[in-house]
Amino acid sequence: MLLVSVLLLPTTALGAEAPKAIKLFLNEKRLVSSEVEPRIISGNTIVPVRIIVEEIGAKVTWDEASKKVTIVKDDVNIQLVINSKTALIKGKKEVMEVAPIIDKGNTMLPLRFIGQQMGIEFTWDASTSSVHMFKKDESDSKPVTGPVDVVDDNTPTKPPTTTPPTTPTNPVKPGDGTGTGTGTGTGNNIPDPNVHLVQSIVLTDKDLTVTAKDGSLVPTTMKLANPNRIVLDFPNTVLDEPLKKLLVKNAGELSSKNPLVEKVRFSNFNDNPATVRIILDLKSTADIKAQSSKLPNQWKATIAEHQLTVVIDAGHGDNDPGALSITGRHEKDFTLSMAKKVEQLLLQDKRLNVLMTRSDDTFIPLDDRVSFANNIQSDLFLSIHGNSAKASVSGTETYYNRPESAAFANVIHKYAVPAIGFPDRKVREADFRVITKTTMPAVLLEVGYLSNKNDETAMYKDAFQDKLAAALVTAIKEYLNLK
């Protein structure tokens, strides 16, 4: 759905300047994919078929004999033929400006034409070259949580990238998904007693204060980069009338005197459940920390300069020993030793705040590891493990789950594999809880197979662990752009 919305963007660059990379967001979640780049043909942006249909829940099929692509979504049926400008929309012929093509095995379709059939809305933030997208009449929209690059064996295409090649010339007003709700808060006549009125949003040079007419305020918090933002969602709330009057297309804006905040934006983000969203557009990275308030209907937080935080997670512990090695040693001992070595090297860089989910032989439930990292708003999460399978299996695997973790997984794997020296078993996707439920880029590294004699022999040696720890620290610093 996110990707589809780009189709409405103008496709010509401004003057002779090089086009800027455009960032794409769905409900404040950055969408990242790989390999295939959109192209411009006769002033039209064309993109891989999946960048259009998969994210909005449409079904796409491919007929090799006729070179025909069929896209079905609810009552919309679109049929397109490669190299033909004639399309069938619900059985009626329509002419497109450009024809679909196959480029290096990828089916490429015109964004604008497909989007007109699917009803997509978006906002454009010119200052950051960001497109923020949502589907019309979908008030209960939810963030993308799964991988973007879904492959259907019936269609000749590869995973796409999300960088259209041109900068819009007629962008719509800036936004960050603040307009996805319908803004139907009922003012002082709220039928649901569990929904509370947000009466004021005040940002000083240090603090943010949000006050409701009654009830308690406990937001969920997201920190997002490129551009840097802090997003606060207050469940079971709607804006009171004075704040609603400031909305333009369900997006309000407040100026800021805070040295770390460019501006404050707010909206009735969702109706089901009723949710007020507040976004702090940051001048650079910053942290937000909730403070106690004397009033139960008031939420306060301090905005402070950000210190990069890395959480190192030693897998297993105590009564959860993990895998048993071929010589009877426990995975939990290997992971703790490795994690400590990584921690000690990272602590040498005073720019970093380094925290461990466990520093001794303690059992920490998976959800507690996740909550620990999320609550401190960590920048990165690295979980270290040893694997187990048949005795003949050997090698290193790096796992991620959410699209925003893919880049971190790739850089970890790039440095880990040569340092380890085991066979390269690639970067993979999986639904391990600690990399699924964390809100920052999160990676789980399976260093080697404790069930393999050669892997296990190396993994418990200090020289091996020291070399790997140094490689992981190099990877972390590269990802964080720390020279």
Side-chain angles (χ1 to χ4, degrees):
M1 176 175 65
L2 205 174
L3 294 168
V4 180
S5 305
V6 188
L7 50 84
L8 300 177
L9 295 175
T11 56
T12 54
L14 290 173
E17 294 182 3
K20 296 180 180 179
I22 298 173
K23 306 176 187 73
L24 306 177
F25 296 89
L26 176 60
N27 292 348
E28 293 300 337
K29 285 286 188 179
R30 177 82 180 269
L31 187 63
V32 179
S33 53
S34 59
E35 284 193 34
V36 182
E37 292 190 1
R39 289 176 48 191
I40 296 295
I41 294 182
S42 300
N44 288 265
T45 303
I46 61 169
V47 298
V49 60
R50 311 241 172 258
I51 211 169
I52 300 177
V53 299
E54 296 274 345
E55 291 301 319
I56 59 170
K59 181 180 179 182
V60 57
T61 57
W62 167 254
D63 186 336
E64 176 65 32
S66 61
K67 303 294 183 184
K68 181 173 72 175
V69 180
T70 301
I71 301 168
V72 178
K73 169 68 172 167
D74 299 327
D75 63 341
V76 177
N77 185 299
I78 306 171
Q79 297 180 39
L80 308 151
V81 178
I82 299 301
N83 297 324
S84 172
K85 292 185 179 180
T86 301
L88 284 179
I89 310 295
K90 298 182 182 180
K92 293 180 60 177
K93 289 185 178 181
E94 293 195 25
V95 178
M96 300 177 289
E97 293 183 15
V98 295
I101 64 171
I102 292 180
D103 182 16
K104 299 178 182 178
N106 299 279
T107 305
M108 309 286 284
L109 305 181
L111 273 174
R112 182 178 289 112
F113 180 82
I114 301 300
Q116 288 171 348
Q117 318 304 323
M118 298 294 180
I120 302 299
E121 290 184 352
F122 65 92
T123 56
W124 165 250
D125 190 340
S127 63
T128 60
S129 294
S130 301
V131 182
H132 304 270
M133 293 172 277
F134 55 96
K135 192 179 178 192
K136 289 180 181 177
D137 301 323
E138 193 166 285
S139 60
D140 191 17
S141 55
K142 293 180 174 62
V144 173
T145 56
V148 174
D149 299 321
V150 181
V151 177
D152 184 335
D153 292 337
N154 294 324
T155 306
T157 185
K158 299 176 184 177
T161 62
T162 61
T163 307
T166 60
T167 301
T169 55
N170 297 302
V172 296
K173 293 183 178 181
D176 262 303
T178 52
T180 50
T182 58
T184 56
T186 54
N188 293 312
N189 298 311
I190 301 175
D192 186 346
N194 295 316
V195 176
H196 308 288
L197 290 171
V198 172
Q199 294 184 312
S200 68
I201 302 168
V202 178
L203 178 66
T204 67
D205 59 345
K206 294 182 179 180
D207 299 324
L208 173 70
T209 303
V210 182
T211 305
K213 182 178 180 181
D214 53 24
S216 61
L217 295 173
V218 182
T220 59
T221 304
M222 290 187 291
K223 286 181 63 178
L224 302 171
N226 300 317
N228 293 308
R229 289 147 295 153
I230 295 173
V231 180
L232 303 164
D233 284 342
F234 292 83
N236 303 315
T237 62
V238 295
L239 297 169
D240 200 2
E241 286 301 322
L243 288 173
K244 281 180 64 178
K245 290 178 180 178
L246 300 177
L247 300 180
V248 178
K249 293 185 177 180
N250 196 35
E253 187 173 307
L254 301 172
S255 60
S256 169
K257 294 182 180 179
N258 188 291
L260 300 173
V261 180
E262 187 71 38
K263 61 185 175 182
V264 181
R265 290 178 289 135
F266 58 91
S267 72
N268 282 318
F269 181 65
N270 267 348
D271 284 336
N272 184 22
T275 303
V276 168
R277 168 166 284 189
I278 298 174
I279 299 174
L280 306 181
D281 288 322
L282 304 175
K283 295 179 180 179
S284 60
T285 56
D287 293 327
I288 186 166
K289 184 176 181 180
Q291 303 292 334
S292 59
S293 175
K294 296 179 181 180
L295 303 176
N297 60 321
Q298 190 175 78
W299 184 82
K300 296 186 70 174
T302 299
I303 315 297
E305 291 187 7
H306 175 62
Q307 183 180 20
L308 291 169
T309 300
V310 178
V311 171
I312 306 298
D313 175 47
H316 308 284
D318 193 24
N319 61 334
D320 173 21
L324 188 66
S325 81
I326 196 169
T327 62
R329 289 185 278 193
H330 291 136
E331 179 187 356
K332 67 176 184 177
D333 299 323
F334 164 74
T335 62
L336 182 59
S337 178
M338 271 302 319
K340 284 184 173 181
K341 289 177 183 293
V342 174
E343 177 197 28
Q344 290 306 309
L345 290 178
L346 287 173
L347 284 172
Q348 295 176 16
D349 192 323
K350 301 304 180 184
R351 296 170 294 180
L352 291 173
N353 180 31
V354 186
L355 299 172
M356 300 267 283
T357 56
R358 69 179 183 99
S359 298
D360 53 23
D361 189 19
T362 303
F363 172 70
I364 308 294
L366 296 180
D367 284 343
D368 288 355
R369 297 170 194 246
V370 169
S371 297
F372 174 72
N374 288 348
N375 289 342
I376 63 171
Q377 300 171 42
S378 174
D379 293 276
L380 292 178
F381 181 94
L382 175 62
S383 187
I384 300 174
H385 287 257
N387 220 331
S388 181
K390 296 186 298 183
S392 60
V393 180
S394 167
T396 300
E397 300 156 11
T398 304
Y399 289 92
Y400 75 99
N401 176 264
R402 294 166 290 111
E404 55 267 35
S405 298
F408 183 40
N410 286 327
V411 74
I412 285 290
H413 198 74
K414 178 179 74 172
Y415 285 97
V417 169
I420 293 168
F422 300 161
D424 182 355
R425 291 176 59 86
K426 309 302 179 183
V427 175
R428 305 181 178 195
E429 294 182 45
D431 60 355
F432 300 124
R433 196 164 188 84
V434 292
I435 59 175
T436 302
K437 299 299 182 181
T438 39
T439 56
M440 71 294 303
V443 165
L444 187 148
L445 175 66
E446 293 279 12
V447 174
Y449 280 77
L450 296 172
S451 50
N452 179 277
K453 182 178 180 181
N454 292 332
D455 285 13
E456 187 242 31
T457 299
M459 288 167 67
Y460 284 93
K461 291 181 177 179
D462 278 336
F464 173 93
Q465 293 183 11
D466 289 340
K467 185 177 181 180
L468 175 56
L472 294 177
V473 169
T474 299
I476 288 168
K477 288 187 176 182
E478 179 176 305
Y479 182 83
L480 293 174
N481 198 28
L482 296 175
K483 304 291 186 180

